[in-house]
Amino acid sequence: MAKGKIRSKLRSSLYTFSCTSTPNKAAEAEELQGSVYSRLVYCNEPHQLSYNSNSTSTTKYNIVTFIPIALFEQFNRVANVYFLIAAILSVTPYGPYDPFSAIAPLAFVVGLSMVKELIEDWQRFLQDWKVNMRPAQVYTGHGIFESRPWKKIMVGDIVKVEKDKFFPADLLLLSSNYDDGICYVETMNLDGETNLKVKRALEITMDLDEDNSFREFKATIKCEAPNPSLYTFEGELEYNKKTYSLDPIQILLRDSKLRNTSYVYGVVIFTGHDTKVMQNSTKSPSKRSRVEKQMDQIIYILFSLLVIISIMSSVGFAYLTKFDMPDWWYLHAPDDKNLYNPQKPYLSGLYHLITALILYGYLIPISLYVSIEIVKVLQASFINRDMHMYHEDTDTPALARTSNLNEELGQVDTILSDKTGTLTCNQMDFLKCSIAGISYGQRPSEVELAAVKKMSMDFDAEDHDFSSAVSGFEEEGNAETEGTSNNQDHGRQIKGFSFEDKRLTGACWWKLPKPEIHYIFFRILAVCHTAIPEENEEGDGYDYEAESPDEGAFLVAAKEFGFEFCKRTQGSIFVREADPSSEEPVEREFKILNILDFTSKRKRMSAIVRDEKGEIFLFCKGADAIIFDRLSEDGRTFEKATKKHLSDYGEAGLRTLVFAYKKLEEADYNEWNNEFQNAKNSDSSNKDEMLEDLSDKIEKELNLVGASAVEDKLQQGVPQCIDSLAQAGLKIWVLTGDKMETAINIGFSCSLLREEMQQICISIKDEQEHDAEQDIKSDISKQIMSGTQKMKQEEDPHAAYALIIDGKALNFALDDELKHQFLHLAVSCASVICCRVSPKQKALVVRLVKEGTGKTTLAIGDGANDVGMIQEADIGIGISGVEGMQAVMSSDFAIAQFRYLERLLVVHGHWFYKRIAQMICYFFYKNIAFGLTLFYYEICTAFSGNAVYDDWYMILYNVAATSLPVMTLGVLEQDVSAEVCLEFPALYQQGPKNLFFGWYRIIGWICNGVYTSFIIFFFNILTLYTEAYRVEGQTPDMSIMGATMFTCIVCAVNTQIALSLSHFTRIQHIFIWGSIVVWFLFLIIYGAAVPETSTGSYQIFLETLAPSPLFWITILLVVIACNLPYFMHISFQRSFSPMDHHIIQEIKYYRKDVTDRHMWRREKRKGRHEAKIGFSARVDAKIRHLKGRIQKRGAVMAGQEML
Amino acid sequence: MNSDAPSSSSGAAGSADPATPRRNSKRPKYSKFTQQELPACKPILTPRWVISSFMLVSIIFIPIGLASLFASKDVVEIVDRYDTECVPPGSRNDKVKYIQSSTNNNCTRRLMVKKDMDHPIYVYYQLDNFYQNHRRYVKSRSDPQLKDEKDENEISDCKPEDDINGKPIVPCGLIAWSMFNDTYSFSRTNQSLKINKKGISWKSDREHKFGKKVFPKNFQNSTFIGGAKLNSSIPLSEQEDLIVWMRTAALPTFRKLYGKIEVDLKKGDFIDVLLENNYNTYSFNGKKKLVLSTTSWLGGKNNFIGIAYLTVGGLCFLLAMAFTIIYLVKPRRLGDPSYLSWNMNPGGRLTS
């Protein structure tokens, strides 16, 4: 406790520079009486007023509303409405068959969908329940805090939140363990910002910092009504008969987290759905995949077909009824219901239209939706259970939160990614440094590693004479790769420190040249920062709580170098320094005189310290350009070497900072310090400017020490993943809230940017900021135009452009006038990075891409700031495993790591797309094949609406006889194996190009269906015409015709699906051949039922069909004849215009990939989509470069020989 | 597998090992199904497969086709259309009136046997343009009533031939009511040929669908008489003409079995048919034909199946030949990478 207090004082003093305003405005607040605050909170008296409870619910239904709402949703689908009407009408005399035949499939289908909804909603409920049951410490009176679930928290409750816990509701901060009532809050869940924010209690409540202090606490809060604005709050606190106004700075928002503070006390102001974060959450829009939208169009086509043939058949019926039926005495027309009334042919025709519309309903695959849904749920479970997408460290499997969009994963064109937490893990690793012009640190960055690996792989496939030229490079790469892998296995891994260089880590740096410079470098690392050390749990060292992860990395590095920062007091920093002269480290004290903070404008930070000898130093670290400008003439000794190292580091994707120092004379310092203190205490309005000028004045004439290179640790496998995705032809945009420099750095480390790339930067210059909007806009337009111009004039085919745009500029670029220009420029750039973008802008960019290009977009992010874009994009992916759940909750799929995206898209997406596309095509095929036979038969029955099949056959058709095989197709079909998908990312392009669900293919399948129906009907009619059916002379009747024809259909469509599969597991065999067997079994069983039930089908199979050779040879004929064109088509296609997956299937089939590894590797390399981003592109560029050099050298040598 | 496969997502590949020490609660359990690694056969449509499938089809189909054609050729069929001939020339202007009014509709026909016909010779009547498959017609029957004498009141489907003066008609419905009632008797050189009318229906119908204790009641008692009358002392299960008639035909042109002639007929025999022309097909211009036919293992005379088999078989043979030639002339080595899209048009990659 005591320790905390000391530190807290110190911490707040650190902030005095930046936090200039003290929030005591009580006096002003009193004047604001009588305002219109709508919410009243009696602190510590939670039962006074009733507000929303703190339990939250994201479920769609509850017990009462489930049935009506879920039913309503089901009948939102056109097809289902049609089937509902058909079912209702089938009860009337107009129904062509037994009402049961119409109602049963519909009930089955709708029921199944509803069960699925129920299960999904149940899972949401469980998730809510988990949140609602989280424990929180709530004051119960008598100085006791009790653990209570979140949902029981009420407005007015006093809660105590401990370190690293989430706030259960929106709270008013009363006090914290720090004396000055501040606390640190991480709002990553709300806005995605990773830096901590300071919240500060009112002075008046600061002392309520013990459990006991609430015994007598009574206060009233009046404040605004619940609203979604995260950054505003208006209200007032009435305490001890005085009124104090409240600011957002006192408000702790639900779902943000307490950090670096042991505990806080707060009063609950908003609960549950009233909280700002919940107010912010929008209902996630329901998304539908492209394929499904297209499927709807096909359904409309089939509807039109249905209506057309129904009308045709009604007209035919009316005509025959009027002119011919009077002659058909055996029909005894008219009947009393006017169904067959020659006197009223129009009325009868109208009734018949209803009959026909129901009868031909078999054209519309009733089970399509439900089958697709079942298939998608199974597919989703493949995602959920894919072990390759399970993240061991966080124990997180991938999660498909909706199964609607599975196939959309196979059609993605543009990926829009968040940076922090998605590409990077927000952890910095100290990797390299340059001290006194010497570069240290041998471990390669991830980018280098990946590039080397790729390069060595590629050169294997390259021609040999060339590979010898670079073999040296390669070996180096291999050595490095091995080195690291060994290290990862055996060496101890220190978080934030991946540095490896015996020269420095062996604590013998003093033997190096210029040890004094090294000494200063390490001191700057250990002293120039604002962090706080905290003894770690094992007690053998310190963890550092730093404002930014960079600083933490520096401190860890300093510790490893023998400069352990161990204590911070009000004015001093204590560092345990390894001393060359003694074994034991020596603790040294540095008096902190001033700290000149880091701001994005200054881009540097300085600490002025006095060491034990009394000497005053200014230590400074900052961005290279800034520091190099401020060096003294003498201090530039290592400038050239350092600059080279900096560019090397930059290329390796590292974040660099330059270190410099300056020794100050006592007198000079005192003079400056006086001015500085005066300025700090002054009340003038330009105080900030004054302070800045003063800082500027002293941070001059510096001496260069060196530079550090920190790896903004990318998440595992991100560069490889980006590379593969780029090769799969996907475009990747990065949208980040970070500064432009950081974003560019990350761009480099992900290989989204590389050195040779031309960067088009669009931003608003600082001095422009106050210009008129119109001027800025025209300036940005100009920048866009010039970028476009530059690209047009480019002649080098390998040239790549990168667009980097700043949030402010983006604001204008997204304007209606400019957005098309902007989009045009952006899509022709190889990579696009948008920095400093707000969550809303992220969503707008996604919308622009989505609507502007008309292609499928995928947004991936991890924080609440990404929610907008995740919801806006065609597919939203959340990074799970991190604590925040906002992104995941609004996403369609959740994966633990960015790198799983590759497998999700290239393997699962590819398969899903093909499966669903093939499945839908087949569905239409099989229903057309069946439905049209009904129509043809209609013509033979004088359009009377009689079906040749038994009612039961028709029920079975969609439900049992044909649905399972097509579902196995949808679940299990694989054109190529997962490994091949990953090896040939270019295969992915079949999805975005929609090769498998284009109109050409759809119409092909429809034609196949029409052809099949034709063959089935006419071949049956012609074989079973009038003659004897068997040797005993009986002639075929309707039931024989129906059963034979139906058997033909079942066999033909199931054979068809067997032909269209390329991957047979035992399950497919069981379902396909099983369906045929089941049909025969059904015939036997149905035929064995009493004649009243089975009517015409009584004993039909055993007595009639099976003994007749005609039956069997008809089936054989029809099945072969039906499948002949398709078989011809696929034979022909494979022979003459094979698709890529055909060839690869063949290569795999003949094991050519094993026997001819050279070819296989060559094709793998060539098969990549020629990407301009990713390290393959980098390697390509390098190879081009090397080749060019070799050619040049060859030319020179040839020239010499000539001489 | 190749060692240089992209390693980015092979992180957990080794986790198939059941002895993985770490136990994580949410770790997906390994199964070949969930990992989509079920063993599968992945057939490839190689040229050999294509050609041999086509060959196989033609090898199977052509013999079947020939066998069917021969079977059909062996069937001897005599068809005689008599609907016009059996109306006296004077009444041919108004055949309907003739058939409805006349009482003595006897008519004789002479048929010539053009080929030897071995017994049994099946006698059929063939009607044309008669929609036995009309929805109104097909549904107008009561199966329970036919089977069980207790169910004689189950006549709801039989309208309008359901009851007469409140008493149920057995068998009810339009089908039974409109039963065919022309009769034939045959003689060869004045020696009558016996027609066997037993066993002309399906066995299951006789034994299970038409009751042994169900007798015709109130049948054809209304003013508007449809077709045949039934002997009310014979149970329905023995009324085979009715049973045959009640199996509704699938198409508006149909044949139904009338009886069997159990003697051989020789080429050049003349058969005299004495027929009673009662049935009204004249109102809807339906033809009536008398058919005498033998059967083969495939049933009656029908060339279609043979022709279809030969056509498909022949087509497959041609396709097999065509594919063979194509493969010989312009072979594509299977798995030849030069056919990959990126090699086919090297300038433009897959998506350029």
Side-chain angles (χ1 to χ4, degrees), chain A residues 809-826:
Chain A
L810 193 61
N811 230 347
F812 295 98
L814 289 177
D815 206 86
D816 278 342
E817 297 162 42
L818 290 181
K819 70 180 181 189
H820 293 294
Q821 280 181 38
F822 167 65
L823 183 70
H824 180 72
L825 174 66

Side-chain angles (χ1 to χ4, degrees), chain A residues 553-624:
Chain A
F554 287 152
L555 288 168
V556 173
K559 182 167 99 185
E560 293 302 314
F561 294 136
F563 289 75
E564 187 175 20
F565 163 54
C566 59
K567 204 160 103 188
R568 171 163 233 151
T569 61
Q570 191 72 48
S572 298
I573 279 178
F574 294 85
V575 177
R576 273 189 210 141
E577 292 186 359
D579 200 304
S581 53
S582 70
E583 283 292 301
E584 283 299 302
V586 187
E587 190 166 298
R588 294 221 163 92
E589 184 188 353
F590 294 87
K591 287 220 160 60
I592 303 284
L593 304 175
N594 303 85
I595 282 188
L596 307 174
D597 251 338
F598 191 94
T599 65
S600 56
K601 207 169 174 191
R602 282 161 41 81
K603 291 181 180 158
R604 62 186 183 270
M605 176 207 171
S606 303
I608 302 171
V609 301
R610 188 195 297 273
D611 71 1
E612 284 180 329
K613 292 178 200 148
E615 289 176 325
I616 302 174
F617 288 96
L618 179 139
F619 293 144
C620 181
K621 60 180 185 190
D624 45 4

Side-chain angles (χ1 to χ4, degrees), chain B residues 36-110:
Chain B
Q36 310 193 56
E37 289 166 1
L38 285 174
C41 99
K42 300 166 189 166
I44 297 272
L45 208 54
T46 62
R48 190 174 303 165
W49 265 104
V50 172
I51 294 167
S52 33
S53 326
F54 282 130
M55 276 317 278
L56 185 75
V57 171
S58 61
I59 287 169
I60 295 173
F61 269 46
I62 291 171
I64 295 181
L66 290 173
S68 321
L69 269 187
F70 283 124
S72 167
K73 202 165 162 264
D74 283 346
V75 174
V76 187
E77 202 178 66
I78 301 168
V79 183
D80 179 56
R81 178 176 168 186
Y82 64 86
D83 53 309
T84 313
E85 306 298 323
C86 283
V87 178
S91 309
R92 280 185 195 170
N93 291 332
D94 195 352
K95 295 178 212 157
V96 179
K97 191 180 167 203
Y98 165 76
I99 202 84
Q100 281 171 346
S101 56
S102 169
T103 45
N104 178 15
N105 299 337
N106 285 349
C107 163
T108 52
R109 304 286 299 160
R110 168 163 281 207

